[in-house]
Amino acid sequence: MESAEFHSALALLDWQIELGATEAICDAPVNCYDLPDRLVKRDVKSAALVESGPVPAAPEIDPVAEAKRIAQAAPTLDALNTALASYEHCELKRGAHNLVFSDGVPGASVMIIGEAPRRDEDREGRPFVGRAGQLLDKMLSAIDMGRDHATSPVYITNVLPWRPPQNRDPHPEEIAMMRPFLERHIALAQPQMLVIMGNISAQACLGKRGITRLRGNWAEAFGLPALPMFHPAYLLRQPAAKREAWADLLSLKARITGG
Ligand code: URA
């Protein structure tokens, strides 16, 4: 095998293992779309295959209604974490190593809403621990705040608790399923204000995208003042935008100190 082929085969294998495909189950792939929608059984005497009627339809479940039902029923943050872990309607869960719930101090006046875990967060089960997270920590420390800060802590979560494959953008249905959990998360954490990091978060919290236009303008989300900002991952790619991010951090600090 050529070296390039070897490396791309290895990368493919790595990716499959990362998604949890660690076991070969059949020799040949099964196309689920081709499976009969009628039950087929083997007749014991003749050994012939006979149809025995339609497969009973599974009861239709509305994943968003189900998310609302179980999120609303959670009386505490721990219960909400458990409720999320039991939610089976989001495909992202199957490709993730860990559920990433939150970090920082619940009850902090500022709650930061990120987008979705990436590789490092998926491995550790904590939000914002990779390069973007390290930049976020520096940004917070520049205004004397932080996830572990003794007097000015923040609380951090993401719109999505599971890593999308290859960090793709979440689909609108995935955001819609996770929104009831986010809403309940905010209600239970009781922050005084939100920081909305990036477009996915703006979509989930404000119902619109366009972070370049939205950033720096205080808005309202889930009944709270909310500041949209550039996502730290964007700032890593576009360091010139740190100027605007700094202005937004100062605006956040002024709001907290009542300035
Ligand atoms: N980006 C996010 O939005 N959240 C994380 O947890 C990590 C990177």
Side-chain angles (χ1 to χ4, degrees), residues 66-67 70-71 74 76-102 125 159-162 177-178 180-182 185:
E66 181 66 1
I70 67 170
T76 62
L77 288 169
D78 280 348
L80 186 67
N81 194 345
T82 308
L84 251 179
S86 74
Y87 184 75
E88 296 297 342
H89 305 288
C90 183
E91 283 303 310
L92 298 177
K93 179 180 182 180
R94 289 176 236 306
H97 286 100
N98 280 302
L99 185 158
V100 177
F101 188 68
S102 69
V159 173
L160 290 148
W162 296 292
M177 276 181 225
M178 291 301 116
F181 290 103
L182 179 63
H185 201 156

Side-chain angles (χ1 to χ4, degrees), residues 115-137:
E115 299 188 336
R118 291 180 164 242
R119 188 189 170 99
D120 295 319
E121 291 79 18
D122 178 46
R123 294 217 170 259
E124 261 195 52
R126 268 204 319 144
F128 283 103
V129 293
R131 282 184 66 225
Q134 287 155 22
L135 177 56
L136 174 64
D137 286 338

Side-chain angles (χ1 to χ4, degrees), residues 20 23 69 96 133 143 150 157 162 166 173 184 203 216 252-253:
E23 239 178 290
R69 190 183 67 75
I143 51 167
T157 192
W162 296 292
Q166 294 175 300
E173 319 79 80
R184 187 70 184 147
Q203 178 71 58
L252 175 65
K253 187 73 182 174

Side-chain angles (χ1 to χ4, degrees), residues 32-97:
C32 296
Y33 295 103
D34 282 349
L35 291 177
D37 59 0
R38 303 181 71 76
L39 276 179
V40 178
K41 287 188 183 158
R42 196 171 288 281
D43 181 77
V44 188
K45 283 189 194 142
S46 66
L49 291 174
V50 287
E51 269 195 20
S52 66
V55 176
E60 280 272 313
I61 289 178
D62 172 350
V64 177
E66 181 66 1
K68 280 187 189 153
R69 190 183 67 75
I70 67 170
Q72 281 306 319
T76 62
L77 288 169
D78 280 348
L80 186 67
N81 194 345
T82 308
L84 251 179
S86 74
Y87 184 75
E88 296 297 342
H89 305 288
C90 183
E91 283 303 310
L92 298 177
K93 179 180 182 180
R94 289 176 236 306
H97 286 100

Side-chain angles (χ1 to χ4, degrees), residues 135-145 195 197 215-218 227-232 234-236 238-256:
L135 177 56
L136 174 64
D137 286 338
K138 280 191 195 154
M139 289 162 65
L140 292 171
S141 132
I143 51 167
D144 199 22
M145 298 189 78
V195 174
M197 289 294 188
R215 62 136 286 275
N217 297 306
W218 283 90
L227 179 65
M229 286 187 63
F230 283 135
H231 193 285
Y234 174 78
L235 297 175
L236 288 172
Q238 302 287 339
K242 284 183 184 168
R243 230 163 74 109
E244 281 93 344
W246 176 238
D248 298 346
L249 287 170
L250 292 178
S251 166
L252 175 65
K253 187 73 182 174
R255 187 103 185 196
I256 295 163

